[in-house]
Amino acid sequence: MIALLVLGGPMALTQIIQFSIYTIDTIMIGRVGTDALAAAAIGTVIYFLLWMIGAGPVSAVTPMVSQSIGTTIGKPGLDARRDARRSVRMALWLVTLLTVPMFGFLLFAEDVLIFFGQDPEISRMAQDYVLVLAPGLPFALGVMVLRNFLATLNKTMVPLVLVTFSVLINAGLNAVLIFGLLGAPALGLIGAGIASSISYCLCFVMMASYVSLDRDGRQFDVFRNLLTFDRDRFGELVRLSWPISVTTLFEGMLFNAAALVMGAIGVHQLAAYQVALNVAAMAFMLPWGLAMAGATRIGLAEGAGDAEARQRAAQTTMVAAVGGMAVIALLVTLLPTQIAHIYMRPNDPENAATIAFILTFLPIAAAFMIFDATQLVANQLLRGLKDVTAPMIITGVSFWVIGFPLCYYLGFYTEFGPNGVWYGLMSGLMAAFIGLGIRLLQRLRVPPRPPELRQPDQDSPDLNPA
């Protein structure tokens, strides 16, 4: 447990701080007005659709690098360093290549949102927002690729500092560009998108510099021959990452589709959903960070062929992540009014209806946080074992055969109304936890394959330039 917390604590805190960019945006945009907040909500639906596609290569870095390093004893040898370098390099390639079609899609965001029944003016505002937010997307994904690589080396504290610094930059730029401080024009929603893109770019530059300068990180020389295409490793990365991307899409689009259902019900319900979901997503960062650490540790154990360490990593990750989420859920249940007033001005009559829905949504959101944490941990641990296809199928069935139909039916055709959308989300997460939990138990019963022990001369030259 101590080893997990030493690795996972900074990772969880980094996730929370990095996601706080969106929380800061939501809080500051909420000061602009309900329309701006609603536009940010559905604009984020589009933005995170693209982010989830890029999540595959980002997440694939952890099992590929950790299992490579786990096959060696002690300090990673030349073969392990070269193998890790190939994985990181091709992950950056894949993230970059994916951004071209992603940016093209954003040009039609307004039309897509109107097609799904959203208010035309809110849809126009949302497209403007995502177009200025989009340039930061490849840098945000690149930051996560490098962070996952560093985590396999137990390097988590400096990334935490760098991400914190970038969030502070974002907050300052938000104040200047949203509200027009220091003589700058007040750009409102557009200013929030510009600030986020700039902060992501700066964070990537800082992270890449650290990887190149750190004593352990520079031994892997991950930017060596960066422009050289590695077909075999690229193909392996695609095979591992596409089920992860699809799984992430299944989950993320469930929440985004629920936002569209809320938007069709009403603007106030959509704005309140954005706030409650932002609170739940911020809480989600704690178990996500711990689960990523667990995926790293279980991947190292798998590479080393250590079944006992693998089992221990799974148990401690689940206990730590779910326990932490339970504490947060309790606080959300006890303090809904205080949380709502952070996001919306309580004395503004125009915000009264939105705040009323927020107070209704938050206790329900707190309940499904527990199921969200459990299914997340099971999924991440399976990824650490390079088990991605079965979890993709389980997630798809849970969220889109069970979860979304219930969201739609309960939201439109029952007296639950907008609350029913949350009950549908909870049902999908519960089904995912059951399915993924069973899959993880089955997978842990299979003995790991013995590693190919490789201990090349550490001082010999790396003859292969890849």
Side-chain angles (χ1 to χ4, degrees):
M1 178 67 77
I2 294 176
L4 174 72
L5 294 177
V6 169
L7 177 63
M11 292 183 71
L13 188 55
T14 302
Q15 284 297 116
I16 293 171
I17 293 174
Q18 185 170 23
F19 185 81
S20 68
I21 286 179
Y22 303 105
T23 302
I24 291 169
D25 286 354
T26 301
I27 292 172
M28 291 187 171
I29 292 168
R31 295 299 191 265
V32 176
T34 296
D35 285 353
L37 187 59
I42 59 173
T44 302
V45 169
I46 299 295
Y47 179 81
F48 273 105
L49 167 64
L50 305 184
W51 183 90
M52 286 179 285
I53 294 172
V58 167
S59 299
V61 168
T62 298
M64 293 179 73
V65 175
S66 63
Q67 290 195 26
S68 295
I69 296 176
T71 59
T72 63
I73 297 176
K75 189 176 182 180
L78 293 174
D79 288 339
R81 296 202 301 268
R82 174 178 175 268
D83 200 63
R85 176 169 63 247
R86 294 172 65 201
S87 298
V88 175
R89 188 176 69 205
M90 286 302 98
L92 293 174
W93 264 74
L94 186 51
V95 164
T96 302
L97 291 174
L98 286 171
T99 59
V100 177
M102 288 178 179
F103 289 172
F105 173 77
L106 290 178
L107 297 174
F108 303 95
E110 180 180 354
D111 296 330
V112 170
L113 292 171
I114 292 175
F115 176 80
F116 282 104
Q118 304 306 298
D119 179 85
E121 179 60 21
I122 299 296
S123 298
R124 182 194 61 77
M125 294 171 61
Q127 174 165 302
D128 293 342
Y129 175 58
V130 296
L131 286 177
V132 295
L133 193 61
L137 178 60
F139 296 103
L141 295 172
V143 165
M144 296 190 69
V145 169
L146 297 180
R147 276 184 49 212
N148 287 352
F149 161 67
L150 289 168
T152 63
L153 306 180
N154 288 322
K155 299 284 184 177
T156 56
M157 291 306 299
V158 173
L160 170 60
V161 173
L162 296 180
V163 169
T164 301
F165 184 62
S166 69
V167 169
L168 293 175
I169 292 174
N170 177 76
L173 289 174
N174 264 354
V176 171
L177 297 177
I178 293 176
F179 305 114
L181 301 182
L182 303 178
L187 300 177
L189 183 62
I190 300 301
I194 295 174
S196 295
S197 288
I198 293 174
S199 64
Y200 282 135
C201 179
L202 292 175
C203 190
F204 178 78
V205 172
M206 292 186 293
M207 196 74 70
S209 299
Y210 172 63
V211 170
S212 300
L213 296 174
D214 176 70
R215 182 187 62 184
D216 296 325
R218 68 170 177 256
Q219 294 181 13
F220 289 81
D221 201 10
V222 296
F223 299 111
R224 180 180 183 179
N225 295 327
L226 183 61
L227 300 181
T228 301
F229 182 71
D230 185 339
R231 184 180 63 182
D232 291 340
R233 183 49 51 93
F234 187 84
E236 182 182 353
L237 182 70
V238 169
R239 287 191 295 273
L240 183 62
S241 64
W242 78 260
I244 298 176
S245 291
V246 173
T247 300
T248 308
L249 279 169
F250 281 149
E251 179 176 1
M253 289 311 297
L254 171 66
F255 293 99
N256 292 341
L260 296 177
V261 172
M262 285 289 190
I265 294 174
V267 172
H268 292 294
Q269 290 88 337
L270 175 60
Y273 175 82
Q274 169 70 357
V275 170
L277 188 62
N278 185 264
V279 172
M282 175 64 81
F284 181 82
M285 295 302 110
L286 173 63
W288 191 12
L290 293 172
M292 287 194 298
T296 299
R297 292 186 59 78
I298 204 171
L300 291 168
E302 178 77 4
D306 190 338
E308 182 180 348
R310 196 179 58 173
Q311 182 78 29
R312 187 167 57 248
Q315 292 174 345
T316 55
T317 302
M318 185 66 74
V319 170
V322 176
M325 183 62 107
V327 173
I328 297 174
L330 179 61
L331 292 175
V332 171
T333 302
L334 296 175
L335 303 171
T337 302
Q338 291 83 345
I339 294 172
H341 291 174
I342 293 174
Y343 287 86
M344 305 290 292
R345 289 192 179 98
N347 297 325
D348 189 340
E350 294 183 1
N351 294 336
T354 301
I355 291 175
F357 282 112
I358 293 173
L359 297 179
T360 301
F361 292 164
L362 283 177
I364 306 174
F368 88 78
M369 286 179 186
I370 304 299
F371 297 109
D372 201 9
T374 50
Q375 66 87 23
L376 162 72
V377 172
N379 214 336
Q380 287 288 331
L381 292 172
L382 288 167
R383 289 176 189 175
L385 298 172
K386 291 187 177 180
D387 186 357
V388 294
T389 303
M392 176 186 68
I393 296 171
I394 293 169
T395 304
V397 172
S398 299
F399 294 157
W400 290 97
V401 176
I402 298 174
F404 182 70
L406 284 174
C407 284
Y408 189 89
Y409 175 76
L410 295 175
F412 285 125
Y413 298 107
T414 72
E415 62 183 10
F416 293 118
N419 289 351
V421 177
W422 289 98
Y423 295 138
L425 293 174
M426 192 186 306
S427 300
L429 293 170
M430 188 184 303
F433 160 62
I434 294 172
L436 293 170
I438 293 173
R439 176 66 181 181
L440 179 61
L441 291 174
Q442 292 174 339
R443 186 65 178 78
L444 290 174
R445 292 193 183 103
V446 179
R449 290 179 295 178
E452 297 177 1
L453 298 179
R454 297 172 296 173
Q455 294 179 297
D457 182 2
Q458 295 292 324
D459 298 322
S460 62
D462 189 350
L463 299 178
N464 193 318

